[in-house]
Amino acid sequence: MACAIAVLAGDGIGPEICAVAVQVLEALRDQGLELVFNEAPVGGAALEAHNDPLPPATLALCEQSDAILFGAVGAPRYDALPRPKRPEQGLLRLRKHFDLFANLRPATVFPELAHASTLKPEVVSGLDLLILRELTSDIYFGQPRGIHTNAQGLREGFDTMRYNEEEVRRIAHVAFKAAQRRRRTLCSVDKANVLETTQLWRDVVEEVAGGYPEVKLTHMYVDNAAMQLVRDPQQFDVIVTGNMFGDILSDEASMLTGSIGMLPSASLNARNFGLYEPIHGSAPGIAGRDEANPLATILSAAMMLRYSLEEAAHADRIEHAVRKVLGQGYRTADIQEPGCRVVGTAEMGRAVIAALN
Ligand code: NAD
């Protein structure tokens, strides 16, 4: 039976890059992949049409779907709106509604783009790591929090770092399963020498490890992990960590690759239902000009096939096609270099489709 994909293109370059990713998925129909696509508005587009960044009909469509392909939301003209009306609420509410607690961000450096990194090519060329960040708990959500005046009359800010064992257990399982599909090495990042919360994190990850004897588990303190990511990033396969450490480390890792237009992501819940999106935003400055790099969205579609739809062979096909077009010299403006063939969004999509066959 065909899988149903909710396509929430959103704002700015969202519609252009989603259209290309859908074309790439449709091109796999000849090779036996059956998908049905249904579009719905989100973010600023939904605000314009329905006065709500996540209209009930959009949410209902997502509930009836097997996965969500998401473009990007936001534009300067919405920045002054009250928080509940802001475009990004569309995305935040989807994460909350579907309990998308596992954020997967691969950082891959295609050898052809190794020079785009600020690090030496020999440090990053061929890099292929996956950061798994817990997305719904930790110090970002822990109570109590606030700013008050203390007994000495000084203003004092405070937050609460908090994880319960079930929250750690479920992200650990996702991490071990991801490592099983890759090079079977998992590094859990914490600060167990200082923080009780992350001592519990480490204990629970150790317990879960018993169910995955084929995966090699190591632990690393977050300060060391930040250093190792720029010193020798190739030592990592899968990294799993909490919300705050993951926020910081995943941005650091994305910069290893040097190009925001290349990086996909997935946010999954316990049923492997997921929202798949490029890590970049709506890039309003280049919207509608056929200049946006669609590869991050195409690679997000490949992640969707791998993680939510159990179609790993088709995911491999898309990833190989992307590698092939880069090898052929196709580049969008954001990753251009001397001697390459600069193409627009639509032509890059056509090149990937041609490379599928
Ligand atoms: P951005 O990622 O949209 O753009 C940063 C820079 O990268 C810009 O120069 C842009 O032109 C370029 N860029 C981004 N994606 C590109 C692509 N695919 N191809 C070529 N170049 C690309 O970040 P920003 O400028 O900080 O934010 C713009 C809007 O996007 C804001 O409204 C912000 O709130 C929103 N935003 C949305 C998301 C999301 O939907 N998940 C994420 C980040 C930012």
Side-chain angles (χ1 to χ4, degrees):
M1 206 178 79
C3 288
I5 311 301
V7 182
L8 312 189
D11 309 319
I13 60 172
E16 302 160 60
I17 54 179
C18 279
V20 168
V22 168
Q23 284 161 14
V24 170
L25 289 168
E26 279 177 333
L28 288 170
R29 186 173 293 155
D30 295 344
Q31 297 174 35
L33 183 69
E34 265 198 72
L35 301 175
V36 176
F37 300 94
N38 297 297
E39 295 179 16
V42 72
L47 212 50
E48 307 276 354
H50 305 283
N51 197 30
D52 182 352
L54 184 66
T58 297
L59 192 57
L61 175 71
C62 294
E63 276 176 343
Q64 291 151 17
S65 302
D66 296 291
I68 304 169
L69 183 65
F70 193 94
V73 290
R77 66 180 176 283
Y78 306 119
D79 286 352
L81 290 176
R83 197 166 293 283
K85 290 282 182 204
R86 298 249 189 99
E88 59 268 25
Q89 286 301 318
L91 182 57
L92 298 177
R93 282 166 54 195
L94 279 169
R95 281 182 186 159
K96 195 170 160 62
H97 181 85
F98 289 105
D99 196 17
L100 303 173
F101 66 90
N103 184 228
L104 286 74
R105 272 207 201 182
T108 309
V109 177
F110 295 98
E112 295 81 3
L113 298 181
H115 66 277
S117 173
T118 48
L119 269 66
K120 292 182 190 137
E122 62 268 29
V123 175
V124 295
S125 183
L127 177 73
D128 177 14
L129 71 87
L130 174 67
I131 297 206
L132 238 152
R133 166 189 172 194
E134 200 288 331
L135 205 56
T136 53
S137 186
D138 202 355
I139 195 166
Y140 292 173
F141 294 93
Q143 294 291 340
R145 60 190 287 162
I147 301 175
H148 69 181
T149 304
N150 69 13
Q152 289 80 42
L154 297 172
R155 281 181 302 154
E156 190 172 75
F158 58 99
D159 297 275
T160 305
M161 179 177 255
R162 194 182 282 268
Y163 266 116
N164 69 47
E165 59 181 312
E166 190 45 42
E167 289 168 333
V168 182
R169 200 171 286 124
R170 64 183 190 171
I171 187 84
H173 278 292
V174 177
F176 279 103
K177 289 193 175 110
Q180 276 179 326
R181 291 189 177 109
R182 293 171 48 97
R183 300 191 299 280
R184 300 195 181 87
T185 313
L186 175 63
C187 178
S188 172
V189 171
D190 60 40
K191 191 72 180 165
N193 50 340
V194 181
L195 298 170
E196 304 302 331
T197 316
T198 71
Q199 180 61 55
L200 175 77
W201 175 282
R202 186 176 286 216
D203 295 347
V204 174
V205 172
E206 282 286 347
E207 288 161 22
V208 174
Y212 302 88
E214 71 284 20
V215 176
K216 182 172 176 286
L217 172 68
T218 58
H219 303 277
M220 196 179 275
Y221 296 138
V222 63
D223 42 352
N224 187 24
M227 184 183 77
Q228 296 298 334
L229 268 176
V230 285
R231 193 186 74 84
D232 176 21
Q234 312 243 20
Q235 71 185 278
F236 296 110
D237 176 14
V238 180
I239 292 176
V240 65
T241 190
N243 202 344
M244 179 165 66
F245 298 159
D247 191 1
I248 299 163
L249 294 181
S250 64
D251 267 25
E252 185 187 359
S254 72
M255 265 320 291
L256 300 174
T257 74
S259 55
I260 200 169
M262 294 294 303
L263 293 174
S265 79
S267 302
L268 302 180
N269 69 13
R271 299 182 288 117
N272 275 345
F273 178 85
L275 181 149
Y276 296 83
E277 57 169 338
I279 72 155
H280 59 72
S282 59
I286 56 169
R289 289 167 36 181
D290 192 39
E291 277 179 29
N293 185 346
L295 294 178
T297 316
I298 291 171
L299 292 168
S300 301
M303 287 187 83
M304 180 175 82
L305 297 179
R306 189 181 305 285
Y307 289 101
S308 282
L309 306 185
E310 302 286 337
E311 294 282 3
H314 288 300
D316 286 345
R317 224 159 263 147
I318 293 178
E319 287 161 3
H320 284 141
V322 168
R323 203 155 293 168
K324 192 167 162 189
V325 297
L326 292 171
Q328 289 166 340
Y330 287 95
R331 300 283 188 278
T332 42
D334 57 310
I335 50 173
Q336 67 176 298
E337 60 191 311
C340 69
R341 178 165 173 193
V342 180
V343 296
T345 313
E347 190 175 350
M348 183 57 103
R350 287 194 291 273
V352 172
I353 289 168
L356 284 172
N357 304 313

